[in-house]
Amino acid sequence: VRNLRRALVRARGNGRMSPIVIVVIIFLVVFGSVSMLKPSPRQQRLAKLRIDAIKLGLQVKLETFKVDSKKTGVRDDIVGARYLRFDTDIKSQAIRWCVVRQQGWEQEGLPAGWSWHNQAAMPDLLKLFQYIEQLSDDVVLVEVFDNRSSIMTTEGKSSSAETINAWVDSAQQL
């Protein structure tokens, strides 16, 4: 019994931690907290995309577009980043048209998977169809008013500020 007790005491140590173990634990705690503050590669990519878009004159907002499901049949609210350009020379703020990448009741002249959400002024349907066909899969909404145009996107890896800028400009011309 006595030898067993001595063996257990030697195996457990003397009840104190080695200074090396303490230094390693402190290093890991400090390094872990600093690394948690560093943005992920996805966050870095999105920040660059948004800053580049702002440099091109677009406004960027993260928002939820509330759909009017009773009127349009579009069921789900749309969450994404809105890239928006204002024309300050035009005072009218009337909506011209809005299309969403969801099933709804009105789909006339639109590619499969797209629906009208609002259409006060009907654009040239052939040009609109061609325009929508060239949009990437992460674009979920296109909205055009007299004084502004915008797209909402989920900001996939294929998105670039130059492409988004061109899409916003093209939408205003329809």
Side-chain angles (χ1 to χ4, degrees):
V1 174
R2 199 177 222 182
N3 287 337
L4 181 60
R5 183 180 283 169
R6 283 184 191 164
L8 287 174
V9 168
R10 268 188 251 141
R12 278 191 317 189
N14 59 6
R16 291 187 290 163
M17 273 199 207
S18 162
I20 294 174
V21 172
I22 294 171
V23 169
V24 168
I25 290 173
I26 291 172
F27 175 76
L28 290 174
V29 167
V30 170
F31 180 75
S33 7
V34 169
S35 67
M36 287 176 51
L37 296 175
K38 184 180 175 198
S40 69
R42 179 179 184 273
Q43 291 169 328
Q44 291 174 354
R45 179 182 58 79
L46 292 178
K48 181 180 179 342
L49 173 66
R50 294 170 186 164
I51 287 172
D52 290 346
I54 290 169
K55 288 177 183 176
L56 291 171
L58 295 171
Q59 291 182 5
V60 182
K61 299 179 187 178
L62 301 177
E63 68 178 53
T64 301
F65 180 80
K66 301 287 186 189
V67 297
D68 186 356
S69 58
K70 290 180 182 177
K71 178 181 170 189
T72 64
V74 175
R75 294 183 182 198
D76 300 323
D77 290 343
I78 299 170
V79 178
R82 183 184 292 267
Y83 290 84
L84 175 73
R85 172 162 294 117
F86 275 97
D87 185 351
T88 56
D89 296 334
I90 300 174
K91 300 301 178 202
S92 171
Q93 297 184 20
I95 189 165
R96 288 200 266 161
W97 54 271
C98 175
V99 293
V100 296
R101 189 185 295 263
Q102 284 189 33
Q103 292 298 322
W105 294 327
E106 297 184 42
Q107 301 174 352
E108 177 189 345
L110 300 175
W114 285 85
S115 301
W116 290 102
H117 189 268
N118 203 332
Q119 57 187 43
M122 185 68 79
D124 181 328
L125 290 180
L126 178 59
K127 288 181 181 178
L128 178 62
F129 187 92
Q130 292 169 344
Y131 168 78
I132 292 173
E133 284 286 305
Q134 54 114 15
L135 297 175
S136 68
D137 291 340
D138 60 346
V139 175
V140 291
L141 175 137
V142 181
E143 189 173 39
V144 176
F145 290 77
D146 288 341
N147 67 338
R148 64 189 181 273
S149 60
S150 68
I151 66 166
M152 279 185 77
T153 176
T154 56
E155 299 175 313
K157 288 184 179 182
S158 63
S159 294
S160 75
E162 294 78 18
T163 306
I164 291 172
N165 185 45
W167 290 336
V168 170
D169 287 343
S170 297
Q172 190 65 40
Q173 305 305 316
L174 295 174

